Amino acid sequence: MKKYLLSAALLIAICISAKAQFSLGIKGGVNYSSIDADNLKSSSVAGYQVGAFVRFGGAIYLQPEAYVSSEGGHFESNDNSFSGSVKFTNLNIPVLIGARFGPKNLNFRIMAGPMYSSVLSTNDNFPQNFTNTFNNNFDHYKSSNVGYQAGAGVDFGPITADLRYQGKFGNIDQNYNQQPHLWALSVGFKIL
């Protein structure tokens, strides 16, 4: 806990010292996610995200964020005999490094960086024939994981918009090589 408090205090101190190059904002948006799994067809499900970001720096910037998101996937057997779906509510904490191009009131950005995700809740819908086929082992999901985000954005005055791709560095389960993928579109507003 002390590490988190010290890190937060250091981040605030850096931001205050670079006040001219500091932004604090809120953001929200939609996402489309899917989860690839061995021997199953997958399709996307729609979700949401809502949270906050801090951005500091000039042409090169650092942007830590914290937001809650809904993401998941729909699964179907190759012969269409059974299907199921899962949705997660996650707390995502990406730390992005980016570059800005253009004038102050209209600039374009690119960014990428690592992300930590913690599962807050899981809601799955696997019928009995699905769970029987996978011996009740399909939904052994990890409670947290590490991934990455990469994307592009634009700022128009205090309004900011991003399009990003998100992936994980490993599987999110202990079986069946489940690998999530997500596209997110968000809009934010810089408060400071």
Side-chain angles (χ1 to χ4, degrees), residues 104-132:
K104 181 179 179 181
N105 288 328
L106 175 63
N107 63 68
F108 300 93
R109 298 174 286 106
I110 57 172
M111 77 286 291
M115 178 191 67
Y116 172 78
S117 290
S118 178
V119 177
L120 301 175
S121 68
T122 304
N123 182 7
D124 59 33
N125 179 15
F126 297 123
Q128 192 60 45
N129 62 350
F130 192 102
T131 54
N132 287 344

Side-chain angles (χ1 to χ4, degrees), residues 4-166:
Y4 295 117
L5 292 174
L6 287 173
S7 297
L10 180 61
L11 181 62
I12 290 169
I14 290 170
C15 292
I16 289 171
S17 67
K19 186 176 180 183
Q21 298 178 348
F22 166 75
S23 297
L24 171 67
I26 55 173
K27 63 180 276 187
V30 296
N31 62 50
Y32 294 94
S33 58
S34 64
I35 302 174
D36 295 335
D38 286 349
N39 304 318
L40 292 171
K41 294 186 286 186
S42 64
S43 58
S44 297
V45 297
Y48 67 87
Q49 58 181 351
V50 61
F53 66 90
V54 176
R55 186 185 305 160
F56 55 94
I60 304 297
Y61 65 90
L62 182 67
Q63 182 169 313
E65 300 180 349
Y67 60 88
V68 174
S69 73
S70 169
E71 50 196 76
H74 181 78
F75 309 100
E76 196 168 300
S77 65
N78 291 327
D79 63 2
N80 298 326
S81 60
F82 57 86
S83 65
S85 61
V86 64
K87 272 211 165 188
F88 303 99
T89 301
N90 292 342
L91 173 62
N92 293 329
I93 303 174
V95 178
L96 305 168
I97 297 174
R100 292 187 241 205
F101 311 95
K104 181 179 179 181
N105 288 328
L106 175 63
N107 63 68
F108 300 93
R109 298 174 286 106
I110 57 172
M111 77 286 291
M115 178 191 67
Y116 172 78
S117 290
S118 178
V119 177
L120 301 175
S121 68
T122 304
N123 182 7
D124 59 33
N125 179 15
F126 297 123
Q128 192 60 45
N129 62 350
F130 192 102
T131 54
N132 287 344
T133 302
F134 292 97
N135 299 317
N136 294 316
N137 287 324
F138 192 78
D139 60 350
H140 290 177
Y141 295 109
K142 296 178 181 176
S143 61
S144 64
N145 51 64
V146 177
Y148 60 92
Q149 288 188 355
V154 62
D155 293 335
F156 184 70
I159 298 171
T160 181
D162 289 345
L163 176 64
R164 296 187 197 160
Y165 175 78
Q166 174 179 306

